[in-house]
Amino acid sequence: MVANPSLVLNKIDDISFETYEAPEITESNEVIVEVKKTGICGSDIHYYAHGKIGHFVLTKPMVLGHESSGIVTQIGSKVTSVKVGDKVAIEPGIPSRLSDAYKSGHYNLCPHMCFAATPNSTDGEPNPPGTLCKYFKSPEDFLVKLPDHVSLELGAMVEPLTVGVHASKLGSIRFGDKVAVFGAGPVGLLAAAAAKSFGAVAVIVIDIFDNKLQMAKDIGVATHTFNSKTGGDYKNLLKAFDDNEPTVVLECTGAEPCINTGVHILAQGGRFVQVGNAPGPVKFPITEFATKELTLFGSFRYGFNDYKTAVGILDTNYKNGKDKAPIDFEALITHRFSFNDAIKAYDLVRAGSGAVKCIIDGPE
């Protein structure tokens, strides 16, 4: 048996190291990846603290992790897009190839999605394996090869960047757009990065913490920032944006005040993309929304070619070297841990220590 050390969430407040049998190739299109870098996502922390997100409820142990990159170690007989030794980013959600959502090009909405480190509520069925382990199995078409100048650490950030890519596509962001991003956590900062990469000429990032807003400017994703706690109402926000009404809002908090402010500041005919999740129903300024003829998009994970687009953004950003990169994605990585210290990493992020993106090494 080939050992597969893994980090497992057993129940609320209970994480342990376990060793399982490593996956084996059983289909000709499958690939085994040795996981090298994994980021901690807010959803991981939510399951750790609360045991559920919406209708996804943890009822049995689950290997954590879904933001990962690694090295290909084995390939099936019909695999052609990657080879042993390639660096890859792992797209962690595999849909049913038979579902209407998959066939219609919306596989992220597949009701039978097998998404890493997301509980399976079906009785008798195991949870989909997470990526915080030594070996992970994936179909080849859910792996994206990383360019030589894109590190494995950056490869672990492809997943949250792809959330921003999907939102930017839904909002049809293009050259000339002026974009407001609510929330300066990892998803918000990477959504702002995606918006700039899609051609936005001005991006304002809104948050309540000055240190996060400063990071948004320092790493090159925000042309403007606004502290919504100390800066005043939406009229002051618009002044901070040089009196520009944004054409697109990417709402990454799920907070009712941010949602309402986003509607107030949006230009007539603007596009509103809801990325963040709210804990429950929210009050919504429907009259203003209707009279301004705004368009609202819900955004859930990511879809076809979004992962490749995110890798392409990193490729373009770093093609002339780190010193000339317009966006400093690596500055988002504020904490690094060995696999043996992975539980400490989760506790640090859960404690709200100020970590932006925490990366955990794969098992030795």
Side-chain angles (χ1 to χ4, degrees):
M1 182 187 88
V2 177
N4 195 23
S6 306
L7 187 71
V8 178
L9 176 61
N10 299 295
K11 56 185 179 182
I12 295 174
D13 298 333
D14 183 2
I15 295 179
S16 63
F17 293 102
E18 306 292 340
T19 299
Y20 299 121
E21 186 173 354
E24 296 181 348
I25 290 177
T26 56
E27 301 290 341
S28 60
N29 70 327
E30 292 177 339
V31 176
I32 303 295
V33 178
E34 183 175 349
V35 178
K36 293 296 185 182
K37 303 289 180 180
T38 299
I40 294 180
C41 176
S43 65
D44 296 328
I45 301 301
H46 206 85
Y47 285 125
Y48 185 21
H50 304 288
K52 63 180 180 178
I53 298 177
H55 64 275
F56 298 106
V57 181
L58 183 73
T59 60
K60 42 192 175 283
M62 174 179 76
V63 177
L64 288 163
H66 63 267
E67 300 180 2
S68 292
S69 64
I71 304 291
V72 173
T73 59
Q74 297 179 53
I75 61 174
S77 61
K78 294 184 179 180
V79 171
T80 59
S81 60
V82 296
K83 63 183 185 301
V84 172
D86 282 348
K87 297 185 302 181
V88 293
I90 303 169
E91 183 172 347
I94 311 301
S96 166
R97 311 286 184 159
L98 303 177
S99 70
D100 288 344
Y102 175 81
K103 292 176 181 177
S104 66
H106 303 91
Y107 67 76
N108 56 314
L109 305 180
C110 174
H112 310 294
M113 173 70 75
C114 181
F115 197 90
T118 298
N120 183 346
S121 58
T122 304
D123 290 339
E125 291 291 328
N127 288 319
T131 57
L132 251 175
C133 54
K134 188 172 180 66
Y135 297 108
F136 185 81
K137 182 168 73 170
S138 172
E140 70 166 318
D141 55 331
F142 282 81
L143 300 173
V144 179
K145 184 177 177 180
L146 296 174
D148 291 340
H149 52 272
V150 174
S151 69
L152 286 163
E153 281 194 335
L154 288 170
M157 292 177 64
V158 169
E159 198 276 345
L161 175 59
T162 303
V163 172
V165 165
H166 188 66
S168 294
K169 287 184 178 180
L170 286 170
S172 301
I173 294 176
R174 53 193 176 269
F175 181 76
D177 273 320
K178 299 177 178 67
V179 179
V181 179
F182 285 86
V187 170
L189 293 173
L190 290 169
K196 283 201 75 174
S197 300
F198 273 61
V201 294
V203 176
I204 186 167
V205 175
I206 302 102
D207 203 281
I208 61 173
F209 295 105
D210 286 332
N211 61 321
K212 291 184 177 182
L213 295 173
Q214 188 60 50
M215 173 173 275
K217 279 194 170 181
D218 289 345
I219 67 173
V221 301
T223 58
H224 302 72
T225 59
F226 183 76
N227 188 315
S228 55
K229 186 175 184 180
T230 61
D233 63 11
Y234 74 91
K235 295 178 182 177
N236 289 338
L237 192 163
L238 290 173
K239 289 179 182 178
F241 203 25
D242 299 332
D243 292 320
N244 288 311
E245 291 184 327
T247 51
V248 181
V249 163
L250 303 180
E251 206 298 299
C252 301
T253 71
E256 184 177 301
C258 296
I259 295 169
N260 279 267
T261 301
V263 172
H264 285 302
I265 65 172
L266 231 136
Q268 291 183 343
R271 291 96 71 195
F272 189 110
V273 185
Q274 187 60 45
V275 182
N277 290 320
V282 299
K283 293 181 179 179
F284 189 79
I286 193 69
T287 300
E288 180 153 4
F289 186 87
T291 56
K292 291 169 76 172
E293 290 200 349
L294 306 180
T295 304
L296 174 65
F297 298 91
S299 186
F300 184 61
R301 293 176 179 158
Y302 28 77
F304 177 66
N305 258 346
D306 291 341
Y307 240 72
K308 289 182 179 179
T309 302
V311 171
I313 287 173
L314 294 173
D315 184 14
T316 301
N317 190 71
Y318 287 102
K319 67 181 179 181
N320 295 319
K322 292 182 182 180
D323 294 341
K324 296 181 180 180
I327 298 174
D328 187 1
F329 288 95
E330 290 183 335
L332 291 171
I333 304 171
T334 54
H335 295 75
R336 295 171 172 85
F337 287 85
S338 68
F339 181 76
N340 291 337
D341 288 330
I343 297 176
K344 293 180 182 178
Y346 270 79
D347 287 338
L348 179 140
V349 176
R350 181 178 176 179
S353 62
V356 179
K357 181 54 66 177
C358 180
I359 299 290
I360 300 171
D361 292 338
E364 295 293 332

